[in-house]
Amino acid sequence: MAVINIMNIKPTTISRSIRDKFILLYSLPKIGKTSWAANIPNNLFCATEVGYHGINGITAVDIQSWSDWKLVLMQLERPEALEHYKTVTIDTISILYDLCVKYICDQNNVDTIGDIPYGKGYALVSQEFASSLRKVTQMGLGLIMLAHANIQYVALDGDEDKVVEQVSPKIDKRPFDIVNQLADIIAYIKMDFDKDNNVTRTLITRRTPYIVAGSRFKYLAPEIPFGYDELVNALLEAIDLQGKNDGAKIVDETEHHSIVTNRRPFSETIAEAQILWQKLVSDSPENAEIILSKVKTLFGKEMRLSEIPESQQDLFEILIEDLKKM
């Protein structure tokens, strides 16, 4: 348990660095979200769909299952990873949520999340999904979440005579509520064409009746020319204005006290797994089948705990955390 001393707590500061910002960026397809993310230094690009082909300079890892994502998070905790990576980009956040839903369904041996009684499945997914995103932020890493856009018709102030076309992130309500609480900026990439079909791309950071957007930075310009440097410069201007006008304390980069982990000897991993197995099966023999189902979900095939190889220790540690929760 962490040691807390409320007399040593320092007032919060606002950092000029984009590294510790949490941003949801969305648009219609093929607008340039992935290319934009490629400009972020020391960025680990976690791709749930392969949309980075043809883009130079991306350090990408394919995320095909929730176990892949958990493995990335575990490896990011290592000191050498935190020295190298400063930002994590998820493309797309909606598919990552879908992988989380499948993971919880597989763990509970159901086909759909609604098959878990009393709405418990939705709570399990929300808890798993939210805790994984928080883990990124608690490591002191920036978080960029990419999403597609959804266009729908809505009635302004509930007035059916005032229906407008509104664009919003294409994310289901449950994951959007989690992302919305976390994000410092929700921005939409708007495209405009002139009479010669020349395109201008603009980043919209403030909500309008027609666009869902928002920012924690009250001086951030509502419209910014689309580009990585343009957003960085606009953020710097907004943060400096907050320091000047509101007396906020501004620093170049927030000091983070993240928890890092080193891999323990594999013999300790095996020993802890054996203890957990014995206790859980002793409590209820049915737990043996549940544990083996978790093994199959994580490792993609049936095997006993004693058959898990040392090369799969990171996944083994994830399994142990699941067993502790049981």
Side-chain angles (χ1 to χ4, degrees):
M1 181 178 294
V3 177
I4 298 175
N5 185 342
I6 63 172
M7 301 310 297
N8 288 338
I9 299 176
K10 297 179 180 179
T12 59
T13 58
I14 299 175
S15 164
R16 294 185 179 90
S17 173
I18 198 172
R19 158 185 172 173
D20 54 9
K21 304 299 185 290
F22 316 134
I23 300 172
L24 173 63
L25 186 68
Y26 74 102
S27 73
L28 296 173
K30 304 295 187 294
I31 300 298
K33 299 185 295 295
T34 305
S35 298
W36 180 88
N39 291 290
I40 303 174
N42 304 103
N43 180 23
L44 179 61
F45 195 90
C46 298
T48 62
E49 56 183 12
V50 182
Y52 54 83
H53 288 166
I55 301 175
N56 184 49
I58 288 184
T59 304
V61 56
D62 291 334
I63 305 296
Q64 299 179 10
S65 68
W66 189 254
S67 298
D68 289 344
W69 173 238
K70 288 169 78 76
L71 187 57
V72 166
L73 292 178
M74 179 170 287
Q75 292 182 9
L76 277 172
E77 289 184 310
R78 297 174 185 167
E80 61 271 23
L82 290 175
E83 288 176 5
H84 183 73
Y85 294 110
K86 306 302 179 186
T87 301
V88 172
T89 294
I90 301 170
D91 184 14
T92 62
I93 191 67
S94 58
I95 296 179
L96 186 68
Y97 180 80
D98 292 340
L99 294 177
C100 184
V101 171
K102 185 179 186 307
Y103 176 78
I104 296 298
C105 285
D106 289 345
Q107 282 202 321
N108 289 271
N109 295 312
V110 297
D111 293 326
T112 65
I113 203 67
D115 291 337
I116 301 176
Y118 311 113
K120 182 180 177 183
Y122 296 104
L124 289 172
V125 172
S126 294
Q127 181 181 18
E128 179 78 17
F129 184 71
S131 64
S132 81
L133 297 183
R134 285 197 304 271
K135 192 168 187 178
V136 176
T137 66
Q138 289 165 353
M139 285 188 279
L141 296 166
L143 179 61
I144 309 297
M145 298 165 285
L146 304 183
H148 298 304
N150 180 56
I151 299 175
Q152 59 186 348
Y153 292 94
V154 299
L156 294 180
D157 301 322
D159 188 344
E160 297 297 336
D161 293 328
K162 297 180 180 179
V163 175
V164 299
E165 187 177 86
Q166 185 184 78
V167 62
S168 62
K170 194 174 183 179
I171 308 173
D172 289 342
K173 183 180 185 308
R174 285 184 177 88
F176 180 74
D177 287 345
I178 293 169
V179 170
N180 188 33
Q181 291 176 16
L182 182 67
D184 297 314
I185 300 171
I186 296 177
Y188 171 65
I189 310 170
K190 179 185 176 186
M191 293 181 64
D192 293 299
F193 295 87
D194 63 16
K195 59 183 178 63
D196 298 318
N197 282 329
N198 296 313
V199 63
T200 300
R201 295 179 298 174
T202 306
L203 203 61
I204 307 299
T205 68
R206 190 172 299 169
R207 189 182 185 106
T208 73
Y210 314 101
I211 298 172
V212 172
S215 167
R216 298 191 199 277
F217 305 98
K218 66 179 182 179
Y219 297 107
L220 184 63
E223 296 188 9
I224 304 167
F226 179 62
Y228 174 74
D229 291 335
E230 287 79 356
L231 176 58
V232 170
N233 292 333
L235 265 172
L236 289 174
E237 182 179 349
I239 291 168
D240 285 339
L241 279 173
Q242 195 164 348
K244 177 182 178 181
N245 297 341
D246 302 345
K249 184 177 180 181
I250 310 300
V251 297
D252 289 330
E253 193 164 298
T254 301
E255 182 180 358
H256 292 279
H257 302 282
S258 57
I259 299 173
V260 297
T261 60
N262 292 302
R263 183 180 293 180
R264 60 176 168 171
F266 188 59
S267 58
E268 293 183 11
T269 304
I270 294 174
E272 184 173 13
Q274 290 173 341
I275 292 171
L276 288 167
W277 169 276
Q278 291 169 1
K279 183 179 189 316
L280 288 168
V281 175
S282 175
D283 289 344
S284 174
E286 289 80 7
N287 281 334
E289 184 177 346
I290 295 173
I291 294 170
L292 293 177
S293 176
K294 289 179 179 290
V295 171
K296 184 178 180 180
T297 298
L298 272 173
F299 295 91
K301 62 180 181 180
E302 295 179 355
M303 67 172 83
R304 299 177 180 178
L305 298 186
S306 59
E307 296 173 334
I308 298 174
E310 185 172 356
S311 61
Q312 298 290 324
Q313 184 174 355
D314 284 340
L315 283 177
F316 206 166
E317 297 289 358
I318 293 172
L319 174 65
I320 286 174
E321 290 305 311
D322 281 343
L323 299 187
K324 288 178 179 177
K325 292 177 183 177
M326 290 177 63

